């Protein structure tokens, strides 16, 4: 069969092609590795070579997904394979072990295509904070792919990988999926082991799939979820995850948090959102207005809690044991110069913010108060889910913005996570599916708009069913112009 | 404040106990002592990116056991915190410890109240190359991560101690208690038990606390006693001369008996404590608490009380026996030999003559000696029932320790049995008075001390087989006293 057909296929379709013998796992991997070699988006920081990745294919398990290769965000530790988390401080670092999520995919016979670019330590919404240069949005190379899993989103959207692994702390899977026109799922906190995922904000970090469709997201999630004895906060999803099959939304109630959405939303994004809400009703679902009264404080609380956790998580990068060391003069110089040279400006900003928030005398006013806001947001969702089955919002208030457009103003960048952060604080699952395209604020060709659906904790199956039914009705099948898919 | 005579010392202790679990607190690396550097390490205890701590169940059980032994209240849900500080011995740059909700609070050991008990991980060991011996000015500093991540229990007392001697005695009681729980080696020289003391002085009877100094790195309770006494004296002197005690950390050098300041308050860290998001709360189940209570052996304080109150054992013997389980067990074997044995006498034999004889004959330990508790019981019974004299018994004991001999056989072979026939003894006494007229006359004329020579003569004649009390009684009667 032609490579072109293979590169157009979803992961599930590729798995069928391999199962039917139309293509061998090795041919599939070779075709994808050749494509990875053509990366023009700066999406990959490390690319597998055929010999190394092929070993995984040869001893592939009986798993139906065996042989469908995956792109892995560079935040996952991979034994003997460079892992930087987008930071210069880990330049040259070769982990001695492999993250559980990556091991689970490998155990299913899924070879790794490469490691994808990202915002440094997952801090960012545009992928412009990578120490290794920004990732370009395959829809418009002058625009950002979103972040922090910008590389993973861009390579899937741009036909450089069939599917990818990303991580989400405040929207880092969902927002880039939306800006690149693909599916991104952040599972419930605790559904998947965090072992080997380089920590940004431990109480919020969760990994998940970035895929071309909802079926692929379910397929990957089913391989990733589960309790891991290396992560005492992991629990898995009871009953596992099956491929979704729903075709309607009869009897399901969808809540729109009126007090959350509105602010700063682009007109085109609103139109696509309204159309999608109408599609839900056409499929038999109902739309209700709900209240999430504390969600508008979500960003403020998030930008205290996440930097606070980050400030301690990133303290280990001290030049003593691994990564770069900039000075041997004395202890203080080693710390100061290694961290001064190794970290980029956004990471430093958040370390300082977080250090301040945890300082004695300020802890209660900042960290303590932010924790209470978080508790209230959790309660808001609990109350909302007594009224509705799902909460829906646009994934991002804007379509992909221009490179450099928001870098000077961190707060406007942070606001891009306005709709995704509350779900992260509540620890609940949320998915972004492409719902259409809209003209950017300054005019130009249409860019993808994401639609976010959130569900109660550990109800991934019903979330995927709803997303699957909606995806079928929306029929979004556009690829970026010029992408080989 | 005036005159130093009115000042009293107030002392509180912070004791770190390394738990003797098989593996570290948050990873699967084995605990070790004295191995090659950095062989017991893994990504977790080296704090590689992306790793997560997984709590050691055994360490939690051990902490619960300590909490039970110290009669503490166990928290239904205690949480771990991150204690942040940059130093190469802390690979994460934070120590996982407990902060506002420790695993256990409010307890007691003897007459000292326990403030709290919490779980944490030990730091790695640093070696500074060069003359300074410290990180400042060293040529290089090396880090051995073998120790990093060892489970630690920190025990904090209330400021209930008043002197260096009391600290030593109580510290020894705590060490014996933890040792008997089997949860730690409590070896101070190897650092598996470390004791810091907070020392202050105040006017006697006041309920206010004075400014305290912290004394660190003392590796025996003897040194701690001396260090604390030196510091109390220093503080009293400072106050007597109109000065003020400055809060600081001190090191006591036992070789010079000098106190050195390590760092002052100005350099105190802001540890930026934060709840550890990588760990869930410790919520001990009823079964875990019951298991801890059920696993509690009889501990030194309780055992010593039982020996004193129920068995009338002397204070010093009771304390000595209860600090060392094997000696206590030996003692209980001795009194189990026969119900007629007096426990008080048996305890004195075990901790006195027997222990001394073991030391004398090649410094034997209880595990090496051929003397069984039963055999020693037989000997104690022979003395108690006056079948042999105390002097003969010591000879028999020496032979038992040397040869593992049976005391009854030795007594028989050597004919050591006391002369029980009073007619025979009376005759020997009469002969002794006749043959020693000088002391006999002295006794008759009121010099009772002179009776010793006559007793000696009887003993010589009987080869120690006479009961000393009975000999004295007969001599006094015959000499008209
Ligand atoms: Zn380890």
């Amino acid at each position: 069969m032609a490579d072109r057909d293979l590169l157009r296929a979803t992961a599930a379709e590729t798995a069928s092609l391999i199962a039917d013998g139309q293509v061998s796992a090795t041919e599939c991997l070779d075709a994808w590795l050749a494509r990875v070699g053509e990366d023009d988006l700066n999406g990959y920081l490390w690319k597998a070579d055929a010999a190394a990745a092929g070993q995984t294919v040869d001893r592939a398990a009986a798993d139906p997904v065996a042989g469908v290769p995956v792109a892995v965000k560079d935040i996952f530790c991979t034994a003997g394979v460079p892992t930087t988390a987008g930071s210069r401080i880990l330049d040259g670092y070769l982990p001695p072990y492999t993250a559980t999520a990556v091991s689970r995919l490998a155990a299913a016979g899924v070879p790794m295509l490469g490691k994808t670019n990202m915002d440094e330590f997952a801090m960012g919404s545009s992928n412009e904070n990578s120490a290794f240069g920004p990732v370009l949005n395959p829809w418009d190379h002058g625009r950002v792919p979103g972040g922090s899993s910008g590389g993973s989103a861009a390579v899937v959207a741009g036909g450089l990988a069939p599917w990818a692994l990303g991580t989400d702390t405040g929207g880092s899977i969902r927002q880039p999926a939306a800006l690149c026109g693909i599916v991104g799922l952040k599972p419930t906190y605790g559904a998947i082991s965090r072992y080997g995922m380089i920590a940004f904000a431990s109480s919020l970090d969760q990994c998940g799939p970035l895929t071309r469709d909802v079926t692929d997201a379910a397929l990957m999630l089913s391989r990733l979820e589960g309790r891991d004895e290396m992560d005492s906060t992991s629990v898995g999803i009871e009953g596992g995850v099956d491929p979704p099959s729903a075709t309607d939304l009869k009897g399901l109630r969808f809540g729109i948090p009126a007090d959350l959405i509105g602010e700063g939303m682009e007109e085109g994004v609103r139109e696509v959102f309204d159309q999608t809400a109408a599609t839900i009703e056409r499929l038999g679902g109902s739309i209700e207005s709900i209240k999430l009264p504390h969600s508008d404080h979500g960003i403020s609380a998030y930008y205290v809690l996440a930097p606070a956790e980050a400030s301690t998580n990133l303290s280990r990068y001290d030049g003593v044991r691994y990564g770069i060391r900039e000075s041997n003069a004395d202890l203080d110089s080693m710390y100061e110069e290694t961290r001064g040279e190794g970290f980029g400006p956004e990471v430093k900003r958040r370390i300082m913010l977080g250090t301040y928030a945890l300082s004695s005398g300020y802890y209660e006013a900042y960290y303590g108060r932010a924790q209470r806001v978080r508790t209230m947001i959790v309660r808001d969702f609990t109350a909302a889910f007594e009224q509705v089955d799902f909460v829906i919002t646009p994934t991002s208030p804007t379509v992909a913005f221009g490179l450099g457009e928001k870098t000077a103003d961190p707060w406007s960048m942070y606001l891009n996570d306005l709709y995704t952060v509350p779900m992260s604080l509540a620890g609940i699952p949320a998915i972004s599916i492409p719902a259409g395209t809209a003209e950017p604020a300054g005019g130009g060709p249409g860019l993808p708009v994401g639609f976010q659906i959130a569900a109660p904790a550990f109800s991934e199956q019903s979330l995927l069913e709803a997303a699957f039914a909606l995806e079928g009705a929306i029929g979004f099948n556009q690829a970026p112009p010029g992408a080989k898919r | 404040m005036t005159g130093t005579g009115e000042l009293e010392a107030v002392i509180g202790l912070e004791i770190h106990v390394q738990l003797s679990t098989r593996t570290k607190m948050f990873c699967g690396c084995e605990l070790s002592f004295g191995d090659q550097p950095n062989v017991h390490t893994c990504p977790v205890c080296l704090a590689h990116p992306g790793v997560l701590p997984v709590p050691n169940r055994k360490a939690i059980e051990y902490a619960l056991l300590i909490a039970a032994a110290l009669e503490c209240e166990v928290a239904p849900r205690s949480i771990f915190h991150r204690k942040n500080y940059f130093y190469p011995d802390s690979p994460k740059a934070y120590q996982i410890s407990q902060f506002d909700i420790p695993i256990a609070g409010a307890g007691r050991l003897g007459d000292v109240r326990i403030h709290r008990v919490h779980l944490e991980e030990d730091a790695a060991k640093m070696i500074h190359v060069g003359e300074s011996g410290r990180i400042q000015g060293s040529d290089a500093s090396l880090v051995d991560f073998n120790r990093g991540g060892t489970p630690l229990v920190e025990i904090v007392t209330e400021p209930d101690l008043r002197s260096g001697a009391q600290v030593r005695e109580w510290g020894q009681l705590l060490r014996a208690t933890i040792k008997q729980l089997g949860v730690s080696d409590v070896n101070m020289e190897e650092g598996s038990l470390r004791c810091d003391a907070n020392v202050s002085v105040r006017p006697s009877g006041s309920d206010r606390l004075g400014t305290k100094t912290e004394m660190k790195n003392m590796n025996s309770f003897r040194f701690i006693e001396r260090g604390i006494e030196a510091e109390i004296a220093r503080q009293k002197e400072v106050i007597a001369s109109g000065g003020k005690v400055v809060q600081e950390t001190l090191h006591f050098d036992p070789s010079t008996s000098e106190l050195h300041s390590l760092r002052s308050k100005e350099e105190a860290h802001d540890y930026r404590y934060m709840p550890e998001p990588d760990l869930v709360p410790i919520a001990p189940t009823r079964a875990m608490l019951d298991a801890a209570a059920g696993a509690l052996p009889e501990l030194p304080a309780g055992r010593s009380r039982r020996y004193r109150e129920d068995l009338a054992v002397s204070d010093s013997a009771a304390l000595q026996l209860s600090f060392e389980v094997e000696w206590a067990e030996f003692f209980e074997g001795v009194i189990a030999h026969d119900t007629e044995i007096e426990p008080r006498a048996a305890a004195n034999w075990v901790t006195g003559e027997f222990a001394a004889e073991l030391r004398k004959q090649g410094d034997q330990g209880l595990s090496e000696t051929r003397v069984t508790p039963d055999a020693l019981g037989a000997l104690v019974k022979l003395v108690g029932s006056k079948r042999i004299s105390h002097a003969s018994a010591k000879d028999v004991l020496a032979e038992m320790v040397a040869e593992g001999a049976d005391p009854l056989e030795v007594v028989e072979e050597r004919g050591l049995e006391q002369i029980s026939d009073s007619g025979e003894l009376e005759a020997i006494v009469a002969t002794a008075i006749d043959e020693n007229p000088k002391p006999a006359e002295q006794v008759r004329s009121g010099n009772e001390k002179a009776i010793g020579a006559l007793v000696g003569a009887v003993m010589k004649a009987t080869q120690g087989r006479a009961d000393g009390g009975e000999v004295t009684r007969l001599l006094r009667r015959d000499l008209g006293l």
Side-chain angles (χ1 to χ4, degrees):
Chain A
M1 69 176 295
D3 278 0
R4 190 166 166 75
D5 294 333
L6 184 66
L7 301 179
R8 276 181 171 167
T10 65
E13 288 162 358
T14 307
S16 304
L17 293 172
I18 295 171
D20 295 349
Q22 297 191 40
V23 62
S24 76
T26 307
E27 286 165 347
C28 174
L29 181 62
D30 287 345
W32 277 110
L33 286 175
R35 184 69 188 107
V36 167
E38 299 166 13
D39 176 17
D40 55 350
L41 303 173
N42 197 26
Y44 284 99
L45 294 178
W46 177 84
K47 298 165 183 173
D49 74 65
Q55 289 172 359
T56 316
V57 179
D58 291 341
R59 55 174 173 76
D63 193 300
V65 300
V68 185
V70 68
V72 173
K73 188 178 182 178
D74 203 31
I75 202 165
F76 291 92
C77 283
T78 41
V81 170
T83 301
T84 65
S87 181
R88 194 175 114 56
I89 209 159
L90 282 174
D91 205 0
Y93 172 61
L94 297 176
Y97 77 109
T98 297
T100 300
V102 177
S103 300
R104 290 201 169 186
L105 291 179
V110 173
M112 187 168 70
L113 277 179
K115 304 286 295 285
T116 59
N117 202 346
M118 58 182 283
D119 282 303
E120 184 176 6
F121 286 105
M123 297 177 193
S125 307
S126 69
N127 220 113
E128 290 163 295
N129 295 333
S130 168
F132 307 102
V135 177
L136 312 182
N137 189 315
W139 292 76
D140 177 345
H141 289 196
R143 291 179 183 272
V144 304
S148 66
S149 308
S152 286
V155 298
V156 173
L160 292 158
W163 55 357
L165 197 53
T167 64
D168 191 312
T169 304
S172 281
I173 287 175
R174 293 161 285 163
Q175 185 256 15
L179 268 47
C180 289
I182 60 167
V183 171
L185 170 67
K186 181 202 92 74
T188 309
Y189 184 80
I192 305 171
S193 169
R194 290 182 294 118
Y195 185 68
M197 247 170 76
I198 297 180
F200 158 21
S202 312
S203 75
L204 297 155
D205 296 342
Q206 183 63 205
C207 80
L210 292 109
T211 56
R212 292 186 181 179
D213 68 11
V214 174
T215 300
D216 281 1
L219 208 56
M220 192 189 290
L221 177 62
S222 68
R223 298 329 189 255
L224 293 173
E225 67 85 18
R227 162 121 183 97
D228 175 13
E229 63 175 25
M230 297 304 283
D231 176 0
S232 42
T233 65
S234 70
V235 286
I237 299 170
E238 214 185 312
V241 174
D242 295 319
S245 58
T247 50
D248 63 57
L249 299 170
K250 286 197 184 89
L252 295 172
R253 297 156 302 169
F254 293 77
I256 299 177
D259 36 13
L260 177 62
I261 64 172
E263 213 181 319
M265 200 199 297
E266 286 177 355
E267 201 40 47
V269 171
R270 175 173 293 283
E271 277 170 27
V272 172
F273 180 72
D274 290 345
Q275 283 163 20
T276 312
T279 308
I280 287 174
E281 288 181 313
R282 193 155 52 75
L283 288 171
S286 60
I287 302 289
E288 293 174 33
S289 181
I290 56 155
K291 286 200 181 315
L292 294 173
H294 301 97
S295 284
D296 53 345
H297 297 299
I299 289 280
S300 306
Y302 176 86
Y303 277 97
V304 171
L305 297 175
E309 293 185 17
S311 73
T312 89
N313 280 330
L314 271 60
S315 294
R316 70 187 57 196
Y317 307 107
D318 55 9
V320 174
R321 285 146 293 126
Y322 47 72
I324 62 165
R325 179 189 293 175
E326 288 293 327
S327 167
N328 278 314
D330 60 41
L331 189 62
D332 287 346
S333 315
M334 179 177 73
Y335 286 153
E336 287 164 16
E337 289 177 36
T338 300
R339 292 168 66 80
E341 295 294 313
F343 290 138
E346 181 63 25
V347 170
K348 287 178 187 165
R349 176 164 29 242
R350 297 202 198 183
I351 288 175
M352 285 190 280
L353 207 61
T355 303
Y356 183 78
L358 290 177
S359 299
S360 129
Y362 298 95
Y363 180 90
E364 258 315 302
Y366 293 97
Y367 191 84
R369 188 176 296 182
Q371 280 288 31
R372 286 195 291 279
V373 170
R374 183 174 188 177
T375 305
M376 289 189 263
I377 288 173
V378 171
R379 287 194 197 131
D380 283 356
F381 275 104
T382 308
F385 287 128
E386 281 169 15
Q387 187 189 338
V388 296
D389 299 296
F390 303 102
V391 171
I392 52 172
T393 72
T395 308
S396 163
T398 68
V399 294
F401 43 90
L403 285 162
E405 198 180 309
K406 294 182 195 257
T407 43
D409 180 2
W411 186 249
S412 79
M413 186 78 88
Y414 296 171
L415 283 178
N416 222 260
D417 300 330
L418 190 61
Y419 306 150
T420 49
V421 156
M423 293 75 180
S424 293
L425 289 171
I428 58 173
I431 192 168
S432 177
I433 60 170
T437 56
E439 254 185 44
L447 293 167
V449 174
F451 185 83
Q452 178 178 232
I453 315 172
F458 299 109
S459 51
E460 271 81 354
Q461 189 65 48
S462 50
L463 177 65
L464 288 162
E465 297 290 353
F468 180 76
L470 192 56
E471 174 186 62
I474 292 169
F476 182 89
N477 58 3
Q478 293 179 52
K484 291 184 182 173
R485 56 169 270 218
Chain B
M1 260 177 256
T2 53
T4 55
E6 299 162 28
L7 294 173
E8 69 170 357
V10 177
I11 306 152
L13 303 177
E14 288 173 20
I15 298 111
H16 286 88
V17 178
Q18 275 185 348
L19 300 180
S20 52
T21 48
R22 191 177 60 79
T23 57
K24 293 186 181 181
M25 186 64 222
F26 296 114
C27 68
C29 291
E30 282 187 21
L31 300 189
S32 63
F33 184 81
D35 281 354
Q36 288 285 307
N38 294 312
V39 293
H40 299 287
T41 60
C42 72
V44 175
C45 58
L46 289 176
H48 272 266
V51 297
L52 297 170
V54 176
N56 183 333
R57 189 185 173 87
K58 201 82 202 166
I60 293 172
E61 288 172 6
Y62 281 4
L64 291 175
L65 206 54
I66 290 174
L70 301 180
E71 298 168 30
C72 289
E73 284 172 24
V74 173
R77 282 167 70 85
S78 70
I79 60 171
F80 286 106
H81 267 69
R82 293 182 179 180
K83 180 181 180 180
N84 295 282
Y85 68 97
F86 279 98
Y87 203 66
D89 68 359
S90 172
K92 299 186 291 298
Y94 56 82
Q95 178 196 31
I96 302 179
S97 182
Q98 295 196 289
F99 183 51
D100 51 358
I101 314 176
I103 191 163
R108 170 176 291 278
L109 176 68
D111 47 7
V112 175
R113 290 169 301 152
I114 304 296
H115 176 61
R116 59 183 280 158
V117 170
H118 77 241
L119 266 170
E120 60 186 29
E121 55 178 341
D122 208 349
K125 206 169 129 188
M126 288 194 66
I127 300 128
H128 305 297
V129 182
E131 280 177 24
S132 78
R134 300 176 66 173
I135 197 160
Q136 289 84 7
S138 65
D139 298 335
S141 292
L142 305 168
V143 196
D144 175 5
F145 289 98
N146 283 353
R147 193 184 72 181
T150 298
L152 286 183
V153 158
E154 182 176 330
I155 299 163
V156 183
T157 74
E158 296 289 352
D160 287 352
L161 295 133
R162 294 290 175 270
S163 72
Q166 195 194 357
V167 167
R168 172 177 51 73
E169 279 166 24
W170 188 83
Q172 286 166 342
L173 173 66
L174 179 73
R175 184 174 57 186
T177 302
I178 291 171
K179 186 171 184 193
Q180 290 183 22
L181 293 174
V183 300
S184 172
D185 300 334
V186 290
N187 184 326
M188 295 182 83
E189 270 166 32
E190 290 181 2
S192 56
L193 187 140
R194 307 195 281 268
C195 182
D196 300 341
N198 291 313
V199 180
S200 62
V201 296
R202 68 179 177 195
S204 294
S206 164
D207 54 4
R208 300 252 287 283
L209 291 170
T211 303
K212 68 180 180 188
T213 56
E214 191 182 1
M215 307 195 60
K216 277 198 170 293
N217 304 329
M218 299 182 284
N219 67 358
S220 89
F221 282 117
R222 294 270 166 210
F223 294 160
I224 291 173
E225 177 180 13
R226 283 172 52 201
I228 287 175
E229 290 304 341
E231 173 57 7
I232 292 171
R234 188 191 68 86
Q235 289 191 17
K236 285 183 175 175
E237 212 174 289
V238 167
I239 290 167
S241 59
K244 274 188 173 167
V245 173
V246 180
Q247 187 168 343
E248 60 187 335
T249 302
L250 299 168
H251 173 68
F252 175 71
D253 184 343
S255 59
T256 61
S257 292
E258 276 173 17
L259 294 156
H260 305 282
S261 181
L262 289 178
R263 58 167 186 255
S264 64
K265 181 79 170 69
E266 286 74 50
E267 292 169 63
H269 285 103
D270 178 356
Y271 289 119
R272 291 177 286 116
Y273 279 99
M274 186 192 84
E276 169 56 278
D278 289 333
L279 293 167
V280 296
I282 305 175
T285 59
R286 189 71 252 165
M288 286 168 80
L289 295 174
D290 289 348
L296 227 48
E298 182 176 34
L299 293 167
R303 193 190 288 269
S304 147
R305 197 183 318 120
R306 179 167 66 87
Y307 286 176
R308 278 183 281 115
E309 293 175 3
D310 299 355
L311 303 178
V313 169
S314 73
D315 288 3
S316 64
L319 210 60
Q320 225 175 312
L321 290 172
S322 54
F323 269 34
E324 300 283 349
V325 175
E326 54 274 35
W327 283 89
E329 281 170 354
F330 196 95
F331 160 70
E332 297 195 9
V334 170
I335 58 175
H337 172 76
D338 194 299
T339 50
E340 280 172 31
I341 291 175
E342 247 190 81
R344 186 184 178 89
N348 290 341
W349 269 98
V350 171
T351 58
E353 307 290 3
F354 178 52
E357 195 60 40
L358 287 184
R359 273 197 301 277
K360 200 167 121 192
Q361 295 196 30
D363 222 355
Q364 296 178 43
L366 267 191
S367 55
E368 296 146 318
T369 183
R370 293 161 67 186
V371 179
T372 64
D374 202 49
L376 190 61
L379 180 70
V380 174
K381 195 190 166 195
L382 285 170
V383 186
S385 59
K386 308 209 167 178
R387 284 179 62 194
I388 60 173
S389 68
H390 191 91
S392 304
K394 281 172 75 173
D395 292 342
V396 176
L397 180 64
E399 204 162 323
M400 287 165 70
V401 171
E403 321 268 344
D406 176 68
L408 284 167
E409 281 173 19
V410 178
V411 166
E412 216 159 285
E413 268 170 33
R414 290 170 46 179
L416 293 174
E417 197 141 355
Q418 289 193 143
I419 299 162
S420 51
D421 181 337
S422 56
E424 189 185 346
L425 194 56
E426 275 175 28
I428 296 169
V429 166
T431 309
I433 291 171
D434 288 349
E435 289 177 357
N436 298 279
K438 209 170 162 188
E441 196 46 46
Q442 285 172 332
V443 175
R444 282 196 188 94
S445 57
N447 181 5
E448 287 196 31
K449 278 185 184 167
I451 206 167
L454 296 168
V455 173
V458 175
M459 286 303 180
K460 195 175 173 192
T462 59
Q463 291 172 310
R465 285 157 53 239
D467 175 16
E470 181 66 7
V471 170
T472 310
R473 193 183 65 79
L474 291 172
L475 281 167
R476 289 170 66 94
R477 188 194 65 186
D478 291 358
L479 294 170
L481 286 177

